[in-house]
Amino acid sequence: MLRFLLASQITLALTYLTQPHQKPDTCTYPNPLLIPQVDNCVPTKSVPIEHKKPSNEAKSPLKAWKSSGLCRGIRADRFCVFANPSFNHGAGVSVITTGKSISTIATLPAFRDNDEARLEPNLKSTLPYREVEIVGKDIGLIATRTIEAGELIMARTPAIMVDEKAIQILGQKPVSELLIRAANDLPPQHRESLLNLSTHSAASDYGNRLYKILQTNSFRTGYHDGSNAFYSLFTEVSRLNHDCRPTCAYYFDHIDFRHKVLALRDINVGEELTIAYYDPLQTHSIRQERLYKEWGFHCSCKRCTADAFSIAESDSRVKQIHALRKELDDHSAASKATPEKAELLVSLYEQEGILGRINEAYLRAAIEYIGVDDIANAMKYASLCVDHALRFIGPDRPFIEDMQKLIANPAGHAKWKFRLTDT
C-alpha cells in the first residue's frame, strides 16, 4: 500500500505548482500526493514531443482517444476523461486532464500507431510471483521461483493517469466523479484488477472507493505533457509492499510508458518482493516517523526490528554516508575528499543494503579518481555507475551521459585532475 496524504498539504502543493517544470522526472520513491520531495525525484531528459498537423496519409494521434464529454472545472482548468481502450494491445488507459494536455500526450512515442508494436500485452502466464495475504501488510507478492539479480519482474502500463492540477483545483467530489468514468472506460479485465487494489480504509461509495485507491496506490510518474505532473495507477505494481532494504527497484520508462520492476539481488522462492516507499538512507527513527505519518504504518522490516545494537550501527553508517557525500561533493580547493573516502562510501552503501542507489556512490568514486588522474579506476566506477543506472533507474538520466563521456574521453572530462590543480 502506497499511501499519501492529500488535504493537509494543499498549501505547500499549490506553492510548488507555481514553479516552472520543463523536464520530466520520476520519483525514486512513491511520494505523498501533492508533496514532491525534490531529493527523491530524479530528473530525466525531456521526451521529444511532436506537434504535427495530421495529413490525409497520417492519422491524427487523437483518433485513438475518446471522450464521453464528462468534464469538471472551467476554461483552462476544465478537466475531462480521455480513454484509449486499444492502448497496449487492448489493456487500455484513461487519462484525467485538459484537452490541451491530451493533445500533447497523444503524440508521445508510446501512443503513436507505429510504436504500438513495441508494447507487449501484460501477460500473466509466466509471472515469477503470486499474490498472497501477508500478516500485517494486507496483500503482497512473493516469488514463485528464484529470481536473479537484474531480472525484469514486471513492466506495466498505467490504468489511470490523473493530472496533478485536477486534484489541486477540483477537490475530492469532482475528481471522484471523473475517476468513476475513467474506471468504467477501461476494458473489463484492467478495470477489475484496478478495483482489487487496497483502499486502506472503508469506502462510502464507488466514487469514494476509487478516490481512496488513487490515494493509496498512485505513483508520481512525471510531466507527460511537458508542464504538469501526473499521478498514475498501476495494478500489480501497487501490490509491492515496503522494506527499508528492498529486494526490488523500479522506474517509470517515459518512452514505452511502462512501470518497470527489477530484482536488486537474487530473490529466493517464497521471499517477498518489496520496494522502498521512503528514502532508506535515513536513520531508524526518521524512517519510522515518516512512514507512519505519510503512509500510516510502522515498518516491521528486518532492518527496523533488529536489536538495539544493530540499529545503532546502521544509524551510524547512515550518518557517515551523508557526511561523506557532503565532503565528496565539495569540489573546492579546501575539500578533504579523497578516492579512499569514495571507496568507503561504496562500502557503506553495500553494508547498508542500499543497492538500488549504489550508483550514487559509484558516480562519486568515478569523479574522485578522474580528479586525481587515475583513469583506470575512474573508468571502472563510471562503467559501474552507467551499468547500474541503465538497469535499475532508467536510460534517460543526465548523469548517465556524463559518465559515458568520461569513459569515452577521460582526459576531456570537466573534472579531470580537478583535485590536483592547487597541489
Side-chain angles (χ1 to χ4, degrees):
M1 53 183 177
L2 313 179
R3 190 181 183 195
F4 50 72
L5 306 178
L6 182 63
S8 63
Q9 302 294 340
I10 193 73
T11 302
L12 186 132
L14 290 173
T15 301
Y16 182 84
L17 182 63
T18 63
Q19 302 172 359
H21 305 286
Q22 298 304 320
K23 291 185 178 181
D25 67 16
T26 299
C27 292
T28 312
Y29 314 105
N31 287 291
L33 187 65
L34 308 179
I35 321 175
Q37 299 174 18
V38 175
D39 290 342
N40 293 343
C41 296
V42 182
T44 67
K45 295 180 182 177
S46 299
V47 177
I49 296 174
E50 296 186 1
H51 299 282
K52 296 180 178 179
K53 293 183 179 180
S55 65
N56 292 332
E57 298 179 358
K59 186 172 69 172
S60 167
L62 287 172
K63 284 287 188 180
W65 296 84
K66 67 174 185 177
S67 174
S68 61
L70 179 66
C71 302
R72 295 292 182 267
I74 58 174
R75 299 186 178 90
D77 295 324
R78 183 171 175 81
F79 299 92
C80 308
V81 178
F82 301 92
N84 186 336
S86 63
F87 176 61
N88 191 20
H89 302 272
V93 63
S94 293
V95 181
I96 297 174
T97 190
T98 63
K100 179 181 178 180
S101 176
I102 198 65
S103 296
T104 299
I105 291 172
T107 68
L108 294 175
F111 298 110
R112 298 177 195 151
D113 286 346
N114 58 358
D115 281 18
E116 181 70 14
R118 295 190 301 104
L119 294 173
E120 298 177 0
N122 294 332
L123 298 177
K124 294 191 175 184
S125 57
T126 58
L127 296 181
Y129 58 85
R130 63 185 176 90
E131 293 184 5
V132 297
E133 187 170 347
I134 299 176
V135 177
K137 293 186 178 181
D138 198 10
I139 302 297
L141 304 179
I142 63 168
T144 56
R145 62 167 174 80
T146 299
I147 302 174
E148 295 182 356
E151 183 177 341
L152 180 65
I153 298 172
M154 65 176 78
R156 297 291 179 263
T157 52
I160 295 176
M161 299 163 53
V162 183
D163 192 322
E164 182 180 67
K165 284 185 68 177
I167 301 166
Q168 294 171 330
I169 293 172
L170 299 179
Q172 181 172 338
K173 187 176 185 297
V175 170
S176 296
E177 293 169 349
L178 293 172
L179 283 169
I180 291 173
R181 182 58 55 85
N184 290 345
D185 283 347
L186 289 173
Q189 186 175 356
H190 209 176
R191 179 172 64 248
E192 181 180 352
S193 296
L194 176 73
L195 294 174
N196 283 333
L197 294 178
S198 172
T199 59
H200 191 71
S201 59
S204 58
D205 54 40
Y206 184 43
N208 184 242
R209 178 184 178 188
L210 287 167
Y211 194 81
K212 285 179 177 287
I213 286 174
L214 178 69
Q215 283 184 308
T216 307
N217 299 280
S218 68
F219 290 78
R220 190 169 184 268
T221 51
Y223 298 83
H224 304 308
D225 62 357
S227 301
N228 302 310
F230 280 78
Y231 288 91
S232 299
L233 280 168
F234 304 86
T235 52
E236 293 169 14
V237 178
S238 296
R239 290 297 194 191
L240 292 162
N241 287 316
H242 167 81
D243 196 291
C244 293
R245 285 194 180 113
T247 57
C248 303
Y250 68 86
Y251 68 91
F252 184 78
D253 191 321
H254 293 272
I255 300 299
D256 65 13
F257 253 61
R258 286 185 175 277
H259 201 294
K260 298 179 178 180
V261 179
L262 304 101
L264 282 169
R265 57 170 176 78
D266 290 347
I267 303 173
N268 298 319
V269 176
E271 192 172 0
E272 186 177 8
L273 310 184
T274 56
I275 58 175
Y277 292 4
Y278 178 63
D279 183 3
L281 278 177
Q282 298 296 333
T283 60
H284 176 268
S285 60
I286 292 176
R287 296 196 311 272
Q288 287 287 330
E289 178 185 356
R290 290 296 295 272
L291 286 166
Y292 183 74
K293 179 181 179 181
E294 297 181 359
W295 285 273
F297 67 89
H298 294 287
C299 183
S300 59
C301 73
K302 289 182 179 180
R303 188 179 175 203
C304 285
T305 55
D307 60 82
F309 178 77
S310 297
I311 289 175
E313 280 196 323
S314 174
D315 284 351
S316 177
R317 286 191 292 267
V318 166
K319 292 175 183 177
Q320 193 175 5
I321 286 172
H322 284 284
L324 282 169
R325 292 199 313 187
K326 182 177 181 180
E327 191 170 8
L328 292 165
D329 290 345
D330 179 2
H331 293 178
S332 71
S335 174
K336 302 298 183 183
T338 64
E340 291 73 25
K341 290 182 178 180
E343 293 276 6
L344 175 58
L345 182 68
V346 172
S347 175
L348 290 169
Y349 269 76
E350 292 172 342
Q351 291 176 58
E352 273 305 286
I354 312 300
L355 303 180
R357 292 174 55 185
I358 199 168
N359 59 283
E360 299 170 356
Y362 292 153
L363 185 146
R364 287 171 170 87
I367 295 298
E368 285 306 309
Y369 277 115
I370 201 65
V372 297
D373 197 23
D374 186 336
I375 290 177
N377 276 313
M379 292 178 67
K380 166 190 168 182
Y381 280 106
S383 295
L384 287 170
C385 178
V386 169
D387 290 346
H388 182 277
L390 288 175
R391 180 176 293 185
F392 296 112
I393 298 178
D396 51 352
R397 307 298 186 237
F399 71 84
I400 295 177
E401 183 177 351
D402 182 59
M403 290 293 98
Q404 289 171 331
K405 288 179 178 178
L406 187 155
I407 295 167
N409 183 16
H413 192 271
K415 294 298 179 181
W416 181 51
K417 293 187 177 182
F418 83 101
R419 292 291 189 201
L420 304 178
T421 53
D422 295 322
T423 59

